[in-house]
Amino acid sequence: DPGADASLCGMAATGASGTNAVRYGTMRANVLNLRVVLPDGRLLHTAGPGRQPRKRAAGYDLTSLFVGSEGTLGFLTQATLRLHPLPEATAVTIASFPSVGAAVACTVQVLQAAVPVARIEFLDEVMADACSRYSGMGLAAAATLLLELHGSQHGLAEQQQQMEEIVRLNGGSGLAWAEEQEERGRLWSMRHNAWYAALALRPGCQGYSTDVCVPISRLPSVVVETKQDLQDSGLTGPMVGHVGDGNFHCILIFNSQDPAEAKRVHAFTQRLGRRALAAGGTCTGEHGVGLGKRALLLEELGQEGLDTLRSIKAALDPHNLMNPGKVL
């Protein structure tokens, strides 16, 4: 479920994922082999030419090394992917909650109850209102979950009942299941337009998206603290996330011509990354390190971890030709 302008090898290079990752895994779990042009021009097949086993124990895991390498080790030119069958039946619903804490607590309980949910997407009240107005959906301006179930017709009915009970226990309301392709498409189109909906909150301003990922058990407290931090910072930063994985994003809309506001945005993103690390999580679940999170990567891996990454980089790209300055 990539973004509108994503490519498969681009998704692999950034270690990205999407709304289906809670059930089907991220790109890392779904790439079986990669064809890579190394910095010296040699062609590498990370699992061997033509190989596509579901599992392997032959040598180092070169495929995983290049997934998430952000272009620093070579050009990814071909990907062999794991395929998943389409479900017999699919149902989507939207639930509104009295607070972001209640919405995220509901997510945790759904996962603890082992409901085989395919997608759980979170929108805070700012994002829900922005998406509703941008897509003309008529959603309440409240913390919101979009939930999708996959399965057989019989199994789906049981899952829906479980889901409804958990949503009600957390004060959720507004449950109405959409099973037709057209209606489901409208709901997910609204979610996929979240970036544009956020930009529409402040026309003429710039958007900056950042993400973190934390253990599910820590997700409610981290989301609530982040929401408070946004309010205290006076920033426009609607929150949206693949919370079934413990992953969420803040889309910060700011005036790039205002140095003071830009400085507040940078300070907030650093606090957010360190909040995730303190909770036992990671500074980025799918956006990557790039330039902006290099200091956070050191804090996450430690000096030994970073030195190991640099040794790998030096061995494969001794002249620092590939995306110099990124990640390391």
Side-chain angles (χ1 to χ4, degrees):
D1 177 39
D5 58 351
S7 68
L8 291 174
C9 287
M11 291 277 286
T14 55
S17 57
T19 57
N20 280 302
V22 63
R23 178 156 182 169
Y24 301 104
T26 67
M27 285 298 288
R28 193 175 299 278
N30 286 286
V31 177
L32 302 176
N33 201 347
L34 288 168
R35 186 178 67 189
V36 183
V37 179
L38 295 172
D40 62 7
R42 289 179 298 157
L43 196 62
L44 167 70
H45 295 265
T46 58
R51 310 291 176 198
Q52 47 189 341
R54 290 181 63 86
K55 65 178 183 180
R56 60 189 298 275
Y60 299 147
D61 189 351
L62 295 178
T63 302
S64 288
L65 174 64
F66 282 89
V67 173
S69 59
E70 298 186 47
T72 61
L73 301 178
F75 292 114
L76 310 189
T77 61
Q78 186 181 82
T80 303
L81 303 178
R82 186 189 306 273
L83 298 182
H84 300 271
L86 291 172
E88 176 188 332
T90 302
V92 182
T93 191
I94 294 179
S96 298
F97 294 84
S99 67
V100 294
V104 180
C106 178
T107 299
V108 174
Q109 290 172 30
V110 166
L111 297 172
Q112 289 173 337
V115 179
V117 65
R119 310 194 212 190
I120 311 180
E121 290 294 299
F122 164 72
L123 312 173
D124 73 352
E125 71 278 5
V126 180
M127 190 79 261
D129 186 48
C131 284
S132 178
R133 286 189 281 124
Y134 186 83
S135 298
M137 294 293 291
L139 290 185
T144 299
L145 290 180
L146 281 76
L147 304 116
E148 181 168 290
L149 301 172
H150 292 175
S152 65
Q153 291 288 358
H154 176 74
L156 212 60
E158 183 179 345
Q159 293 172 31
Q160 286 172 306
Q161 184 179 355
Q162 280 183 285
M163 190 76 76
E164 290 170 4
E165 290 174 2
I166 296 171
V167 167
R168 281 195 293 269
L169 281 173
N170 288 277
S173 60
L175 280 170
W177 293 95
E179 298 187 18
E180 297 301 319
Q181 173 65 42
E182 184 177 350
E183 181 60 22
R184 288 190 284 115
R186 286 182 66 234
L187 293 176
W188 288 116
S189 177
M190 175 194 71
R191 163 62 183 89
H192 288 315
N193 283 326
W195 171 258
Y196 306 106
L199 289 176
L201 292 172
R202 294 181 66 184
C205 286
Q206 183 176 336
Y208 180 90
S209 184
T210 188
D211 85 305
V212 295
C213 189
V214 298
I216 294 295
S217 61
R218 297 298 304 275
L219 186 62
S221 61
V222 171
V223 167
V224 169
E225 290 170 18
T226 301
K227 182 70 175 174
Q228 188 62 53
D229 192 359
L230 280 167
Q231 293 171 345
D232 293 345
S233 302
L235 295 171
T236 301
M239 297 172 66
V240 60
H242 316 310
V243 285
D245 293 317
N247 181 210
F248 68 93
H249 313 255
C250 294
I251 303 176
L252 299 151
I253 312 301
F254 69 104
N255 180 0
S256 58
Q257 303 305 310
D258 183 346
E261 187 175 17
K263 186 176 181 180
R264 294 205 312 277
V265 166
H266 175 74
F268 168 81
T269 60
Q270 297 299 301
R271 288 195 303 274
L272 175 59
R274 292 191 171 99
R275 185 177 301 118
L277 295 180
T282 175
C283 65
T284 176
E286 60 179 13
H287 283 187
V289 174
L291 295 172
K293 292 188 175 181
R294 289 179 299 178
L296 292 172
L297 182 64
L298 171 60
E299 294 175 31
E300 181 168 331
L301 297 181
Q303 191 61 54
E304 295 78 8
L306 205 62
D307 287 345
T308 302
L309 293 186
R310 286 182 173 138
S311 296
I312 294 170
K313 168 73 169 173
L316 292 176
D317 184 18
H319 301 296
N320 197 25
L321 301 174
M322 308 300 296
N323 233 0
K326 294 291 182 72
V327 184
L328 305 174

